[in-house]
C-alpha cells in the first residue's frame, strides 16, 4: 500500500464523506451490541420462570438480535411481552421489554424504546427486586444517552451505578461505568471519561465479562487519543483485538472488530513512524469482520465491514478496489433492508466515480444516496450502536457535494435549457438539505406536515428574486431565481474567509456607538449583491428573498452597505429556509384577527419592557384585536385563547432566546418559560384548520452570536408553530425603537397593495431616517421569515 494520508471515519451519519483529521474522533461505542443486556438475554432476569412458548419466544428474540436481525428481534420480543402480560409473568415481561427496547433503539426508534422501558420500570418497581430495577434504570440511561439527552442520561446512569454497587453486580457496574464514560466524552471531559473506561475494563475483566471489557477498552483508546496519548491508545486497541479474537463467532464480535479496525485507522496520522503497519492492521481487522459477517450470514454488519474497508481503499486512492467493495457494501445493505447503511455506500460510490471523472454516473449515485437518506429519521441515520457528540456534523456534505457536481455539469453544458435543468436540480439538492436539517433540529414531523400542506408557486412575482448563497470550501456560489430563469454567480472567496467576515460583521453591527461594522458590511455587499446588482436593476426587482446557510443565518442582510447606502434602501429583504418550505399566500387584511400578548414588567430576572404597552396599544388601535398583558400572559390562558379563537396574527412582545438545542429555546411568560415545542403544541391546531396562522411576530428575542445552529430555531419558528410567516429579531434591541418599528410595520401592513416584506422595509426605513435610530443596531435585526408576500 502506498504511504498516503489515511483518515478512517467511524460509523456516522456523514462518515462516508472525508473530513479533516483535526476534528477528532466523533463517536463512542455504546452497549447496544454488547454487555449487560447480552447477559440478561442469555440468563434471563433473576428468578424468571420458563413458560414453554414464552420461553421459546425470548430465546428466538435473543438469537435474532445476535444475528443482527433487528426487526425480527423487535417483533419477537414484543410478542413475548404481550404474552407475558397476558399470563401475569412479570419477570419474563420485563425481560421481553428490555429486549424490545434494545432492538428498537438499535433501529433508531428511540421513542418506542423509551415507552418499553417506562413500562419495564413500573413492573420492576412493583416486583420489589432492586437488581431488576437497576437493570431497567441503566437501560433507560443508555437510551437517553443514545438520543443525546445528556442530563436525563446522567440522572439515570448515576442511579443505576449506585444500585449496581449496592447489589454487588459487576456486570451492571462495569456496563454503567462505560456509559458514564461515554457521557463524560460527549461533554468533552476526556480525563474523566478515560478514568471511567479504565474502571469499567478492570471490573469486567475480573468478572469474566469479555464483551464489556472489549467495549470499554475501545472507548478508552478513543479517550486516550483525544487526550493526545496515541501510544496508550494503541495499547488499548491491541488489548481489545487480542481479546476479541478469543471470542466465539458472533454478531457482537464482528461489530467489535469493525470498531477496532476504525480505531487503528484513527491512530495512523498521529503515529507516522508506524503508519504503514497500522494501515495494514486496520485493513486486516476489517477483512476479519467481513469474513465473520459472511460466515454468520449477517448482511447488515457485512455492509458496514465492506463499506469501511472500501473507504480505507478510497483514502489510499485505490479507486477500482474501493469501488468494488463499496458496491458490495451497498448490495448487502439493500438486501438487508438497511437504508441507514445503504445511503452511505451509495454516497461513497458517487465520490469514487467523481474522483475518476465519471461525472454523470457520480451524479446518479449521489442522487440515489440522497433519495435513500431523506425518508430516514435522523437518529436512524446514525450507526445504531454509537452515540453522537454535540459537535456532530450533519449530512450536509452529501447534498452540497451533489450540488457541486451538478453545478460543474451545468458549466460543461452549452445547451442553455439543459444547463437550467442542472442549476434547478442543484437548487433542489440544497432545498432537500434545508428540510433535512430542520427535521433533525426539531426531531419531529412538522417539516413533513408543512410540505404536505403547501402549494408551491408556479413562478415568482415579477419583482422578486430568490438568492441561494452556497458556501463551498474554495468559493461562494449563488443561484439566483429570477422571473426570467435561474442564473449562477461564482465568487472566488473561500468559505473560511467569508465566515470570518460574517462573524466580524455580526459582532460589530450591534455596537450602536461606532461604525466599525461598515467595512464588513461593504465586503459582504460586494460578494453577495454587487455581482447580480445590474441584473436586479434591469429587471426592476424590489424584493430579495435569501435562503441563507450557516453563518449567513446570523446576520441582518438588510444592513449590507454598497458604500453610499444600505441594502434595505434599495430592496425589501426576507429570509426563508427554502421555497419548498414557504406557503406562498398573501395575508387577508380585511378579515384577519389579532391576538397580542406581552410583558411590560420585570419578571424572572429579565428587565422590564415598558414600551410593549405602547406597541400593543398601536396594534389594538389599528386592528381591534384581543390582548393578554403581564399577569394575563400565562401559558394556560394563552392555550385557552388559541383553542377558542380563530386568530390570523399572533404578536408576542416578550424576552426570548434561540439556542443550539431547540429544547432550550424559549419565550418568557409571566409565570414561566414557553419552549418552542410548547408553542408548537399550543398553536398546532392551526395546521389542521382551513385558515392557518398567517403571521407570528416575536418582539424582543435574540439568538446567540456565532451560533449558526441556534439560527435554525429562528428560521424555523414559523414552520414549527404552523405559521406562514414570522417576524423575529436577531438580538435584543432598544425597547422604544422596537415599539416604533413594529407599530409602523403594522400600519404599513394595512395597505393591501404591498407585501409583508415591503411593509417591513418601509418600517425600517422610517427608523433609519430618524437620527436617533439611524444606526443599523436599532432597525436591522428585525427579520421577516418564510412567506414574504
Amino acid at each position: 500500500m502506498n504511504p498516503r494520508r489515511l483518515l478512517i471515519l467511524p460509523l456516522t451519519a456523514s462518515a462516508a464523506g472525508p473530513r479533516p483529521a483535526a476534528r477528532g474522533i466523533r463517536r463512542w461505542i455504546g452497549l447496544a451490541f454488547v454487555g449487560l443486556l447480552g447477559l440478561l438475554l442469555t440468563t434471563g432476569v433473576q428468578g424468571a420462570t420458563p413458560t414453554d412458548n414464552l420461553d421459546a419466544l425470548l430465546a428466538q428474540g435473543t438469537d435474532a438480535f445476535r444475528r443482527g436481525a433487528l426487526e425480527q428481534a423487535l417483533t419477537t420480543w414484543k410478542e413475548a411481552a404481550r404474552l407475558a402480560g397476558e399470563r401475569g409473568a412479570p419477570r419474563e415481561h420485563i425481560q421481553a421489554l428490555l429486549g424490545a427496547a434494545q432492538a428498537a433503539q438499535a433501529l433508531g426508534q428511540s421513542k418506542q424504546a423509551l415507552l418499553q422501558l417506562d413500562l419495564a420500570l413500573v413492573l420492576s418497581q412493583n416486583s420489589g427486586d432492586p437488581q431488576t430495577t437497576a437493570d431497567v434504570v441503566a437501560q433507560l440511561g443508555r437510551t437517553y444517552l443514545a438520543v443525546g439527552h445528556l442530563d436525563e442520561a446522567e440522572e439515570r446512569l448515576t442511579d443505576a451505578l449506585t444500585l449496581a454497587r449496592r447489589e454487588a453486580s459487576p456486570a451492571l457496574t462495569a456496563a454503567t461505568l462505560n456509559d458514564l464514560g461515554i457521557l463524560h466524552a460527549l461533554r468533552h471531559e476526556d480525563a474523566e471519561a478515560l478514568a471511567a473506561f479504565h474502571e469499567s475494563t478492570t471490573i469486567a475483566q475480573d468478572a469474566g465479562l469479555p464483551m464489556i471489557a472489549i467495549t470499554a477498552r475501545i472507548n478508552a483508546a478513543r479517550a486516550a487519543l483525544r487526550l493526545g496519548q496515541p501510544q496508550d491508545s494503541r495499547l488499548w486497541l491491541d488489548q481489545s483485538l487480542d481479546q476479541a479474537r478469543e471470542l466465539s463467532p458472533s454478531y457482537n464480535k464482528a461489530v467489535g472488530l469493525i470498531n477496532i479496525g476504525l480505531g487503528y485507522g484513527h491512530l495512523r496520522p498521529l503515529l507516522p513512524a508506524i503508519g504503514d503497519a497500522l494501515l495494514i492492521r486496520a485493513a486486516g481487522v476489517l477483512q476479519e469482520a467481513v469474513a465473520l459477517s459472511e460466515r454468520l450470514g449477517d448482511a447488515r454488519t457485512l455492509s458496514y465491514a465492506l463499506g469501511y474497508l472500501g473507504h480505507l481503499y478510497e483514502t489510499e486512492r485505490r479507486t477500482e478496489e474501493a469501488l468494488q467493495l463499496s458496491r458490495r457494501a451497498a448490495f448487502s445493505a439493500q438486501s438487508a433492508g438497511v437504508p441507514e447503511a445503504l445511503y452511505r455506500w451509495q454516497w461513497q460510490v458517487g465520490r469514487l466515480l467523481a474522483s475518476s471523472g465519471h461525472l454523470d454516473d457520480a451524479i446518479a449515485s449521489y442522487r440515489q444516496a440522497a433519495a435513500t437518506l431523506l425518508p430516514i429519521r435522523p437518529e436512524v441515520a446514525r450507526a445504531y450502536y454509537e452515540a453522537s457528540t454535540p459537535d456532530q456534523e450533519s449530512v450536509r456534505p452529501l447534498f452540497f457535494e451533489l450540488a457541486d457536481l451538478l453545478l460543474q455539469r451545468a458549466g460543461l453544458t452549452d445547451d442553455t435549457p439543459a444547463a437550467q435543468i442542472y442549476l434547478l436540480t442543484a437548487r433542489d439538492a440544497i432545498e432537500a438539505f434545508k428540510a433535512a436539517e430542520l427535521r433533525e433540529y426539531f426531531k419531529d414531523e412538522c417539516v413533513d406536515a408543512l410540505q404536505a400542506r403547501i402549494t408551491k408557486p408556479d413562478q415568482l412575482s415579477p419583482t422578486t428574486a430568490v438568492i441561494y448563497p452556497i458556501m463551498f470550501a474554495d468559493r461562494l456560489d449563488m443561484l439566483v431565481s429570477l422571473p426570467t430563469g435561474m442564473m449562477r454567480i461564482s465568487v472566488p472567496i473561500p468559505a473560511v474567509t467569508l465566515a470570518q467576515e460574517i462573524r466580524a460583521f455580526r459582532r460589530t453591527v450591534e455596537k450602536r456607538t461606532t461604525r466599525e461594522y461598515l467595512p464588513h458590511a461593504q465586503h459582504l455587499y460586494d460578494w453577495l449583491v454587487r455581482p447580480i446588482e445590474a441584473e436586479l436593476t434591469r429587471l426592476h426587482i424590489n424584493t430579495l428573498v435569501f435562503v441563507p446557510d450557516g453563518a449567513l443565518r446570523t446576520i441582518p442582510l438588510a444592513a449590507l452597505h454598497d458604500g453610499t447606502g444600505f441594502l434595505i434602501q434599495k430592496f425589501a429583504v426576507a429570509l426563508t429556509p427554502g421555497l419548498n418550505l414557504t406557503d406562498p399566500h398573501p395575508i387577508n387584511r380585511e378579515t384577519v384577527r389579532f391576538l397580542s400578548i406581552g410583558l411590560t414588567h420585570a419578571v424572572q430576572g429579565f428587565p422590564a419592557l415598558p414600551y410593549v404597552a405602547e406597541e400593543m396599544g398601536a396594534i389594538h388601535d389599528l386592528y381591534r384585536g384581543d390582548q393578554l398583558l403581564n399577569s394575563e400572559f400565562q401559558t394556560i390562558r394563552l392555550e385557552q385563547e388559541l383553542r377558542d379563537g380563530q386568530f390570523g396574527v399572533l404578536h408576542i412582545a416578550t424576552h426570548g432566546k434561540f439556542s443550539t438545542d431547540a429544547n432550550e429555546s424559549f419565550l418568557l411568560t409571566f409565570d414561566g418559560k414557553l419552549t418552542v415545542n410548547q408553542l408548537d403544541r399550543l398553536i398546532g391546531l392551526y395546521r389542521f384548520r382551513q385558515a392557518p396562522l398567517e403571521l407570528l411576530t416575536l418582539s424582543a428575542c435574540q439568538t446567540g452570536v456565532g451560533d449558526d445552529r441556534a439560527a435554525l430555531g429562528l428560521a424555523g419558528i414559523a414552520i414549527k408553530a404552523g405559521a406562514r410567516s414570522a417576524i423575529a429579531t436577531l438580538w435584543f434591541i432598544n425597547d422604544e425603537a422596537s415599539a416604533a418599528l413594529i407599530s409602523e410595520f403594522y400600519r404599513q401592513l394595512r395597505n393591501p397593495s404591498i407585501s409583508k416584506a415591503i411593509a417591513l422595509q418601509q418600517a425600517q426605513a422610517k427608523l433609519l431616517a430618524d437620527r436617533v435610530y439611524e444606526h443599523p443596531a436599532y432597525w436591522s435585526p428585525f427579520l421577516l421569515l418564510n412567506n414574504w408576500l
Side-chain angles (χ1 to χ4, degrees):
M1 295 186 180
N2 295 329
R4 299 190 182 101
R5 180 181 67 84
L6 172 66
L7 175 62
I8 297 295
L9 300 175
L11 290 97
T12 70
S14 54
R19 198 179 300 166
R23 293 190 66 89
I25 296 177
R26 298 292 188 189
R27 296 294 181 270
W28 302 90
I29 302 172
L31 284 172
F33 69 101
V34 297
L36 177 63
L37 185 63
L39 294 172
L40 289 173
L41 298 177
T42 301
T43 62
V45 178
Q46 291 181 4
T49 304
T51 54
D52 300 328
N53 58 331
L54 174 55
D55 198 50
L57 282 172
L58 290 170
Q60 290 168 16
T62 302
D63 178 67
F65 188 83
R66 285 174 173 163
R67 289 186 285 104
L70 301 180
E71 294 88 351
Q72 180 185 345
L74 176 60
T75 301
T76 304
W77 274 324
K78 287 175 70 175
E79 175 61 20
R82 184 194 63 78
L83 187 58
E86 290 179 354
R87 293 187 178 183
R91 296 189 182 279
E92 289 81 2
H93 198 175
I94 294 169
Q95 184 180 352
L97 289 169
L98 283 171
Q102 185 73 346
Q105 183 56 48
L107 290 165
Q109 299 172 14
S110 55
K111 290 182 180 179
Q112 182 175 166
L114 290 170
L115 287 173
Q116 306 280 354
L117 291 170
D118 285 339
L119 177 55
L121 183 59
V122 172
L123 291 172
S124 68
Q125 290 171 337
N126 291 338
S127 73
D129 181 358
Q131 176 67 60
T132 301
T133 299
D135 296 339
V136 178
V137 171
Q139 185 64 21
L140 266 170
R142 189 168 304 124
T143 303
Y144 280 124
L145 187 64
V147 298
H149 296 174
L150 301 189
D151 291 341
E152 293 92 336
E154 181 178 26
E155 179 182 355
R156 297 293 189 178
L157 292 173
T158 302
D159 289 345
L161 183 61
T162 300
L163 290 169
R165 294 191 192 278
R166 184 183 302 161
E167 294 300 310
S169 171
L172 183 58
T173 302
T176 306
L177 281 167
N178 178 75
D179 290 336
L180 285 168
I182 295 172
L183 180 70
H184 286 303
L186 297 180
R187 289 175 170 167
H188 300 283
E189 300 163 353
D190 297 321
E192 293 86 346
L194 183 57
F197 294 137
H198 190 285
E199 187 178 359
S200 175
T201 301
T202 301
I203 293 172
Q205 196 66 34
D206 291 344
L209 302 168
M211 284 311 307
I212 299 180
I214 291 169
T215 301
R217 281 190 170 112
I218 296 173
N219 284 333
R222 295 185 171 190
L225 198 58
R226 291 205 347 184
L227 287 166
Q229 302 167 6
Q231 291 289 358
D232 289 346
S233 180
R234 180 195 172 192
L235 291 175
W236 285 111
L237 288 174
D238 288 346
Q239 293 168 2
S240 299
L241 181 58
D242 291 341
Q243 193 166 18
R245 283 173 169 165
E246 294 175 359
L247 297 176
S248 299
S250 69
Y251 160 72
N252 293 344
K253 178 177 179 178
V255 171
L257 288 171
I258 290 173
N259 283 284
I260 292 168
L262 295 176
Y264 282 122
H266 284 298
L267 274 176
R268 188 170 180 256
L270 300 177
L271 295 172
I274 57 170
D276 288 344
L278 290 171
L279 177 66
I280 292 170
R281 173 155 287 197
V285 174
L286 288 171
Q287 286 165 347
E288 287 183 55
V290 169
L292 179 55
S293 300
E294 288 177 327
R295 178 179 173 185
L296 295 171
D298 182 356
R300 177 189 297 265
T301 307
L302 176 61
S303 171
Y304 283 108
L306 286 167
Y308 278 95
L309 187 58
H311 182 63
L312 183 65
Y313 281 104
E314 178 189 11
T315 58
E316 286 296 291
R317 304 183 190 279
R318 295 170 61 171
T319 303
E320 288 304 316
E321 293 155 296
L323 263 175
Q324 181 183 13
L325 288 164
S326 301
R327 284 171 169 153
R328 286 180 60 196
F331 178 80
S332 292
Q334 196 162 27
S335 64
V338 191
E340 64 270 25
L342 177 59
Y343 89 87
R344 303 163 192 262
W345 316 133
Q346 290 171 330
W347 181 4
Q348 190 159 289
V349 167
R351 246 186 3 262
L352 289 161
L353 289 169
S355 70
S356 56
H358 298 90
L359 198 56
D360 289 335
D361 290 339
I363 289 172
S365 192
Y366 266 92
R367 294 181 73 173
Q368 287 177 341
T372 302
L373 172 64
L374 284 176
I376 306 175
R377 292 181 303 278
E379 64 269 26
V380 183
R382 294 191 288 268
Y384 51 87
Y385 47 81
E386 301 191 59
S388 61
T389 58
D391 59 351
Q392 170 192 341
E393 283 192 25
S394 69
V395 294
R396 170 193 170 106
L398 167 59
F399 294 98
F400 277 66
E401 288 167 18
L402 172 57
D404 195 9
L405 291 175
L406 289 163
L407 293 174
Q408 291 180 40
R409 192 66 183 83
L412 297 172
T413 303
D414 294 329
D415 183 356
T416 299
Q420 282 282 303
I421 291 173
Y422 283 118
L423 293 179
L424 288 168
T425 308
R427 187 196 70 182
D428 288 345
I430 303 301
E431 289 266 329
F433 166 69
K434 300 290 186 183
E437 188 178 35
L438 279 171
R439 282 191 199 96
E440 197 279 331
Y441 181 76
F442 287 125
K443 294 181 173 62
D444 70 8
E445 290 74 40
C446 62
V447 173
D448 298 316
L450 174 70
Q451 289 185 318
R453 189 185 76 225
I454 66 174
T455 303
K456 298 178 185 178
D458 294 328
Q459 60 184 19
L460 297 174
S461 161
T463 58
T464 299
V466 180
I467 302 172
Y468 292 76
I470 309 175
M471 297 169 63
F472 292 113
D474 60 339
R475 70 189 191 281
L476 168 68
D477 268 13
M478 289 188 292
L479 297 179
V480 186
S481 294
L482 297 164
T484 54
M486 182 171 288
M487 64 183 293
R488 173 196 177 191
I489 300 294
S490 190
V491 182
I493 183 74
V496 172
T497 304
L498 178 57
Q500 288 173 345
E501 200 68 20
I502 291 169
R503 306 284 188 218
F505 176 53
R506 170 62 194 263
R507 188 176 60 252
T508 54
V509 75
E510 292 186 57
K511 298 180 180 179
R512 304 173 187 176
T513 58
T514 77
R515 291 171 62 85
E516 293 177 50
Y517 69 86
L518 195 55
H520 307 297
Q522 291 174 347
H523 289 154
L524 292 171
Y525 188 98
D526 288 343
W527 297 333
L528 291 165
V529 181
R530 201 174 299 280
I532 59 175
E533 192 169 22
E535 190 68 8
L536 298 175
T537 301
R538 186 182 72 82
L539 295 173
H540 305 290
I541 299 297
N542 64 16
T543 301
L544 302 182
V545 180
F546 287 89
V547 187
D549 177 55
L552 282 170
R553 292 185 289 228
T554 68
I555 60 172
L557 292 163
L560 300 189
H561 202 279
D562 67 357
T564 59
F566 293 102
L567 182 64
I568 200 66
Q569 294 173 285
K570 295 181 178 180
F571 304 99
V573 177
L575 281 71
T576 178
L579 279 183
N580 293 343
L581 298 170
T582 301
D583 200 358
H585 294 85
I587 191 170
N588 188 327
R589 274 80 161 177
E590 300 300 322
T591 61
V592 67
R593 285 187 62 196
F594 271 69
L595 174 61
S596 302
I597 56 181
L599 296 175
T600 62
H601 299 161
V603 295
Q604 303 172 53
F606 287 82
L609 297 169
Y611 285 91
V612 164
E614 178 182 315
E615 183 176 313
M616 292 178 63
I619 295 171
H620 186 264
D621 290 343
L622 290 166
Y623 296 96
R624 299 296 174 186
D626 298 343
Q627 294 189 344
L628 298 176
L629 186 62
N630 292 324
S631 62
E632 295 177 322
F633 178 19
Q634 298 188 35
T635 302
I636 190 168
R637 179 70 185 279
L638 175 60
E639 183 173 8
Q640 179 183 349
E641 291 288 336
L642 292 174
R643 185 177 62 247
D644 298 339
Q646 295 285 336
F647 299 106
V649 176
L650 177 59
H651 178 91
I652 305 177
T654 183
H655 292 284
K657 185 175 182 179
F658 296 93
S659 73
T660 297
D661 185 347
N663 293 317
E664 296 177 2
S665 300
F666 69 89
L667 301 173
L668 193 70
T669 66
F670 186 81
D671 60 340
K673 292 179 180 178
L674 188 66
T675 68
V676 172
N677 289 331
Q678 290 173 317
L679 182 65
D680 168 51
R681 180 182 62 81
L682 290 179
I683 60 179
L685 288 175
Y686 282 83
R687 294 182 191 168
F688 307 103
R689 293 178 179 175
Q690 186 174 3
L693 191 65
E694 294 284 354
L695 175 64
L696 172 66
T697 300
L698 303 172
S699 180
C701 298
Q702 61 180 325
T703 60
V705 176
D707 190 347
D708 300 350
R709 191 168 170 81
L712 279 177
L714 197 60
I717 185 63
I719 291 173
K720 183 66 175 173
R724 281 177 170 160
S725 303
I727 288 181
T729 49
L730 282 169
W731 58 80
F732 176 70
I733 67 167
N734 179 282
D735 185 27
E736 185 176 6
S738 177
L741 188 144
I742 289 294
S743 299
E744 181 62 22
F745 166 73
Y746 283 121
R747 271 191 288 272
Q748 295 291 338
L749 195 62
R750 287 182 62 86
N751 183 350
S753 68
I754 66 174
S755 66
K756 290 191 287 287
I758 292 178
L760 180 59
Q761 177 195 28
Q762 293 181 0
Q764 290 175 311
K766 183 174 181 179
L767 251 67
L768 176 58
D770 186 331
R771 294 195 62 182
V772 177
Y773 299 127
E774 64 181 356
H775 194 284
Y778 291 106
W779 52 263
S780 71
F782 289 87
L783 306 180
L784 175 61
L785 307 165
N786 295 24
N787 178 22
W788 62 92
L789 298 178

